[in-house]
Amino acid sequence: MSEFIKTGNATSRRSFLKTSTLAASALPLRGRLLAQAAQADARIDVLPAEPIGTISPEIYGHFIEHLGGVIYDGVWVGEGSAIPNEGGIRKAFIETMRAVQAPLLRWPGGCFADSYDWHDGIGPAAKRPARTGFWGQQDSNRYGLHEFLRTCRAIGCKPYLAADLRSLPARDFYQEIEYCNAPAGDVPSNSAAKAEPNALAAERAANGDAAPFDVDLWGVGNESWGCGGNMSPEEYATEFRRYTAWTPSYSKTPLRFVAVGPNGDDVDWTTRLFKALYANPERRHLWGLSVHYYTSGSATKFAQGDALKFDNDEYYDLLTRGSIMERVVTDHWRAMRTEEGQPRVKLVVDEWGAWYGKGTELGPEYNLSQQSTMRDALLTGITLDIFQRHADKVAVANVAQSINCIHSLMLAKGDKFTVTPTFHVFQMYLPHRGAQAVRAEFTAPVIRNGMANASTPAGGNSYRGSLDASRALAGLSGSASVATAGNGKQITLTVVNPHLDQALTTEVVIHGAAIASATGTVMSETDVHAHNDFDHPNAVHPRPATTGQPAGGRLLHTFPAASVTTLQLTLA
Ligand code: AHR
């Protein structure tokens, strides 16, 4: 007999069937409904009366770093390039980011940020100094602040700047803010002195951008427990306060400062950081706590494993360890609590994705580029569903990284370009943006992780943490939201079925409402190793889902094996 699991709450097959029977007996179409429930392998209960929070559009965010072929070639091809571009920026990059309605883009790192001097990337291109950056590569600085802001404008997204805390003084941080945000022309002095033009705003205008960049989201360092300075949480708390104690502000909306959070599930970092920050009354502008959680392609070593060659056990193991993101979110939310209660600080998961070892990179100079299969599409769905289920906690998230690095949406090399399966999942999840997340329960046969005999490596480049082995993978997981337009009658349900050889016929029940009609989109391939490449850029793509006809207000829908599905449900 199969073993069943209810997401977040284990249940037995008997109790699963009993719940269905009791609920069905209250309805007029009892006979048909009982037959429907009996056909089902699984069940999804959506509870619109139990709202979680508004799903922040910024959880579908992006990240680009000066690393391998991310900036040079991926994003920046240069104005004179034969590769289609808009002022030097790869056109296909802009169009793909528009196609997923990218809300924000993080730059310039990553670890690169903590040795980057923003002055090097401004002014006439020919005069910019070439320097050695964090990843041991020479950087021409041809792509700098103005080019990045132009990229954001072309996409129509917000910039998220990671500031250098390890190697530049606090003065450079606040002057970078001033350079980005001070208005051009006379700036009121707020004193008896007369208004004067701001020198940094004038420099920005001379460099081509008279209008302020209005950057409101700032990362104060990156991975300060590792590449960002090997600090303790207490040392970082002191630095965070020093860098943010005073910064110039030109708008009524306060700047959003993001403090460096844990490596993976290092709860000790968060607990001690918040204790240290809150021990001092000056904690202004602490808006978010960053979280970096990568899923290694190997069960035992960080950033190892093959992106394309994996067996069934490795497939399940990766998705099980990826699902730990839920625990990372809830653990750190709890760890942020101080004696004064839960602070109004949000989680910013600014790096996530599956990270494999060498073997599928685009070339030796494309450090950390890797292929991406249907397995990564499922991990994308599982991860976005976790963020949506925790809409009250996660305000921002950035996949690492958008192009040519780790869990990318795009691969590009010269004039060759393809989107990955991950791109399609981002598109499929768009209807959740800004909608009201509501509780949903998924009851389905559980998958045992046969490889759960070692602790899980977790963390970023400066890896040092591990998590207990994770033994069970939810047989069906997902999230539900109610659109703000449409009088509460439009529900989006996204669902991942990780079973490799079991389609799951599922009864979908909306508590307190009846489903009138359903449409859907599905990504599923006969082989989970399926992927796109330069010669086959459309090998993996979503298709319209065959949805069942609702009966008695419920829907019986079959989620194919190893699939990601979006259902749009219209309520009666
Ligand atoms: O995304 C690659 C690297 O991973 C980033 O530079 C760093 O922040 C993390 O360790």
Side-chain angles (χ1 to χ4, degrees), residues 182-458:
D186 284 352
V187 180
S189 70
N190 295 330
S191 76
K194 68 178 179 48
E196 298 264 17
N198 179 284
L200 287 168
E203 192 181 350
R204 185 190 66 230
N207 287 333
D209 281 292
F213 295 148
D214 289 332
V215 181
D216 76 324
L217 192 58
W218 294 85
V220 186
N222 173 75
E223 298 194 348
S224 303
W225 35 260
C227 62
N230 295 308
M231 297 179 211
S232 70
E234 291 77 17
E235 286 164 345
Y236 176 72
T238 306
E239 293 302 294
F240 180 86
R241 273 199 303 268
R242 205 158 67 77
Y243 276 66
T244 60
W246 179 82
T247 53
S249 122
Y250 305 96
S251 136
K252 288 202 179 75
T253 329
L255 298 176
R256 299 187 286 166
F257 288 138
V258 179
V260 167
N263 176 4
D265 203 31
D266 183 357
V267 171
D268 181 57
W269 171 275
T270 303
T271 312
R272 284 167 56 191
L273 176 65
F274 273 74
K275 202 165 163 222
L277 284 173
Y278 277 67
N280 185 306
E282 180 52 81
R283 59 188 76 137
R284 145 173 91 168
H285 296 328
L286 173 60
W287 182 84
L289 178 79
S290 82
V291 173
H292 291 185
Y293 178 66
Y294 285 102
T295 308
S296 174
S298 154
T300 52
K301 291 201 181 99
F302 188 72
Q304 294 297 315
D306 199 288
L308 291 178
K309 291 186 218 119
F310 52 90
D311 62 24
N312 292 358
D313 283 349
E314 287 167 330
Y315 161 88
Y316 286 127
D317 177 60
L318 180 120
L319 297 184
T320 311
R321 287 182 291 105
S323 307
I324 293 174
M325 178 67 90
E326 180 137 39
R327 202 174 99 191
V328 173
V329 166
T330 52
D331 279 356
H332 293 282
W333 187 252
R334 233 176 288 121
M336 286 185 336
R337 281 183 75 87
T338 65
E339 282 165 9
E340 296 165 41
Q342 190 76 37
R344 292 161 67 96
V345 179
K346 295 290 182 186
L347 292 175
V348 174
V349 186
D350 54 23
E351 292 186 26
W352 69 267
W355 190 335
Y356 302 103
K358 288 196 178 304
T360 65
E361 56 272 38
L362 296 169
E365 63 279 33
Y366 292 74
N367 192 11
L368 303 189
S369 64
Q370 60 185 38
Q371 253 299 356
S372 193
T373 65
M374 270 302 291
R375 174 173 67 164
D376 301 294
L378 267 77
L379 181 68
T380 305
I382 287 172
T383 307
L384 295 178
D385 280 320
I386 291 169
F387 298 156
Q388 287 153 191
R389 288 204 292 275
H390 294 279
D392 53 331
K393 307 176 186 73
V394 184
V396 172
N398 309 298
V399 65
Q401 302 186 8
S402 311
I403 187 163
N404 287 353
C405 188
I406 313 179
H407 201 96
S408 297
L409 280 76
M410 293 164 252
L411 296 174
K413 188 177 186 185
D415 60 359
K416 301 190 182 98
F417 181 87
T418 183
V419 293
T420 68
T422 290
F423 157 77
H424 292 298
V425 180
F426 266 76
Q427 258 200 331
M428 286 170 63
Y429 276 54
L430 282 176
H432 281 299
R433 289 166 52 109
Q436 179 64 235
V438 296
R439 197 159 78 80
E441 281 186 355
F442 294 75
T443 310
V446 68
I447 298 166
R448 289 286 154 205
N449 177 16
M451 292 180 67
N453 43 20
S455 56
T456 297

Side-chain angles (χ1 to χ4, degrees), residues 56 63 117-118 133 159 180 182 277 308 332 344 371 486 521 560:
S56 161
F63 169 35
D117 185 344
W118 60 274
C180 287
L277 284 173
L308 291 178
H332 293 282
R344 292 161 67 96
Q371 253 299 356
T521 310

